[in-house]
Amino acid sequence: MEIRKVNPLLFYSNVAGRILNAILPVVMLWLGKLIIDEVVVQIGAETKDMERLWILMAVEFLLAVLSDLLSRGISLSDALLGDQYSIETSVRIIKKTSELNLDQLEDSEFYDKLERARRQTTGRVGLMSNILAQGEDLIVILSLLAGVVSFEPWLIILLIVSVVPTIINEIKFSGTSYSLARSWTQERRELDYLRYAGASDVTAKEVKLFGLSDYLANRFKGLSDKYYLQSKRLAKQRAGWGSFFNVIGTAAYYGAYVFIVFRTVAGIFSLGDLTFLSGSFNRLRSKLQGFFTRFTQITDSALYLQDYFEFLDLSFERNASEGKLPLPD
């Protein structure tokens, strides 16, 4: 809701563009089917009448251009909303920080909360984009499912088998990246400081005078290597299980593809039906996999964003001894 208030016109334009863009895939697949069937008709016809074929191809071309323009417009509005919201949230953090007492800023645990909140000034827009993309994909999935079911309901079983492994993999590793990043908040702050201290004109004199370059570099490398090893172990586990589950999903997809081909050879489906069903099934599988993968990303983003709101919701007791001095000219 906060993002909508930043720029209502841009926000609702984004939503409208996504809804329209979600309807186009099934329409274009159906047009492709009609074009293939019309080509087959014209091949067998003694007198060629190409008018309907040219109209279908022209409409498909216009829809392809429209789809590209909508996708670019959605990406542009996401970026613009992101910039505007980043400014808004940064201002809120600055104002909230001004309420702090100086002793609170010296507390490492409290400063960790501030650091996590500061890193989420752009996270809300990414979360919004993913949620809207979920709604867009849901419309695509439902429209494609309706098309597949109208031809061959049994294909739904193979479709479920092809996407279940991806769901299992995403559930297995949901939240693990956030847990790792949160547990390393203090170390990441130290890494940022070491990087700054080792390569800054402000600290260059002290670093040279006391020969601190090797110490800072070794300290930075030691901490970075520890984080890299933990991140590497998690990434390898996720990639390994993902590959295993993907083999199962791919086998189910090609099982459906073989089934469609056999039905076409038997004369039950036309070549246009083959094009529509194979395209629909392939897109359905990829959309469903993306849907559940993005669901995990939304869950992780929500966890990260919780840090931002926790900081804004903090209440402070203002130190009465702290006074404000007039800013010098």
Side-chain angles (χ1 to χ4, degrees):
M1 297 301 289
E2 290 184 358
I3 298 175
R4 176 182 60 81
K5 293 177 181 177
V6 169
N7 192 326
L9 177 61
L10 195 59
F11 176 82
Y12 287 119
S13 297
N14 184 293
V15 173
R18 288 180 182 276
I19 293 174
L20 183 57
N21 204 36
I23 300 172
L24 290 179
V26 69
V27 175
M28 292 181 68
L29 283 171
W30 185 257
L31 279 172
K33 162 194 156 42
L34 295 179
I35 289 171
I36 296 296
D37 285 341
E38 184 63 23
V39 168
V40 173
V41 169
Q42 292 303 320
I43 290 175
E46 294 183 2
T47 304
K48 310 298 182 185
D49 183 6
M50 305 290 287
E51 181 180 358
R52 183 169 185 270
L53 182 60
W54 297 137
I55 292 174
L56 290 172
M57 293 181 67
V59 172
E60 186 178 38
F61 169 75
L62 292 174
L63 290 180
V65 172
L66 177 60
S67 178
D68 179 70
L69 292 175
L70 285 172
S71 297
R72 293 178 185 276
I74 290 168
S75 297
L76 175 61
S77 60
D78 280 351
L80 295 177
L81 282 170
D83 290 341
Q84 289 182 309
Y85 189 74
S86 179
I87 294 171
E88 180 71 20
T89 51
S90 296
V91 168
R92 292 186 67 180
I93 287 180
I94 291 171
K95 290 183 176 180
K96 189 70 175 181
T97 305
S98 69
E99 301 176 11
L100 303 177
N101 298 324
L102 293 177
D103 59 330
Q104 291 173 309
L105 287 173
E106 297 297 328
D107 180 61
S108 61
E109 182 178 346
F110 186 85
Y111 201 85
D112 286 345
K113 292 181 180 179
L114 172 60
E115 179 66 16
R116 287 195 294 268
R118 190 158 42 203
R119 289 176 178 272
Q120 297 312 308
T121 54
T122 58
R124 189 77 183 276
V125 177
L127 178 59
M128 178 213 72
S129 180
N130 278 333
I131 291 175
L132 292 178
Q134 287 291 79
E136 181 182 343
D137 281 357
L138 186 60
I139 296 173
V140 175
I141 289 167
L142 291 176
S143 59
L144 290 173
L145 274 175
V148 171
V149 169
S150 65
F151 279 95
E152 189 56 65
W154 287 105
L155 288 174
I156 300 301
I157 297 176
L158 288 173
L159 177 66
I160 293 172
V161 173
S162 70
V163 299
V164 163
T166 300
I167 300 172
I168 295 173
N169 189 54
E170 292 303 320
I171 292 175
K172 182 179 177 64
F173 291 97
S174 177
T176 51
S177 298
Y178 170 77
S179 299
L180 177 61
R182 185 181 178 90
S183 65
W184 271 75
T185 300
Q186 187 171 344
E187 287 81 358
R188 282 191 287 112
R189 281 203 295 113
E190 184 175 347
L191 286 172
D192 289 340
Y193 174 76
L194 290 169
R195 188 185 295 110
Y196 168 78
S200 169
D201 60 334
V202 178
T203 58
K205 293 179 181 178
E206 287 79 4
V207 171
K208 286 182 176 292
L209 181 62
F210 296 104
L212 296 174
S213 179
D214 288 341
Y215 169 77
L216 293 173
N218 292 334
R219 177 73 177 172
F220 181 86
K221 189 175 188 309
L223 275 175
S224 298
D225 287 345
K226 285 182 181 179
Y227 185 76
Y228 168 75
L229 289 175
Q230 291 191 32
S231 180
K232 176 184 176 182
R233 183 170 65 251
L234 177 62
K236 288 175 67 176
Q237 289 177 355
R238 192 163 196 161
W241 282 105
S243 299
F244 170 74
F245 288 130
N246 186 63
V247 170
I248 299 175
T250 302
Y253 164 71
Y254 277 96
Y257 192 63
V258 169
F259 174 79
I260 295 170
V261 169
F262 270 115
R263 300 278 278 184
T264 304
V265 172
I268 299 173
F269 294 152
S270 67
L271 286 177
D273 296 339
L274 170 65
T275 303
F276 176 79
L277 285 172
S278 59
S280 296
F281 197 88
N282 184 35
R283 185 162 295 192
L284 260 175
R285 177 172 174 259
S286 63
K287 285 292 182 183
L288 281 169
Q289 287 180 334
F291 185 86
F292 289 106
T293 299
R294 196 182 296 112
F295 183 80
T296 303
Q297 294 173 352
I298 290 173
T299 304
D300 288 347
S301 297
L303 290 172
Y304 281 105
L305 201 61
Q306 181 181 343
D307 298 325
Y308 169 72
F309 288 110
E310 281 182 358
F311 178 76
L312 291 182
D313 291 338
L314 289 173
S315 58
F316 310 109
E317 291 185 8
R318 187 173 296 278
N319 192 336
S321 64
E322 289 185 6
K324 296 180 180 177
L325 298 177
L327 183 68
D329 293 336

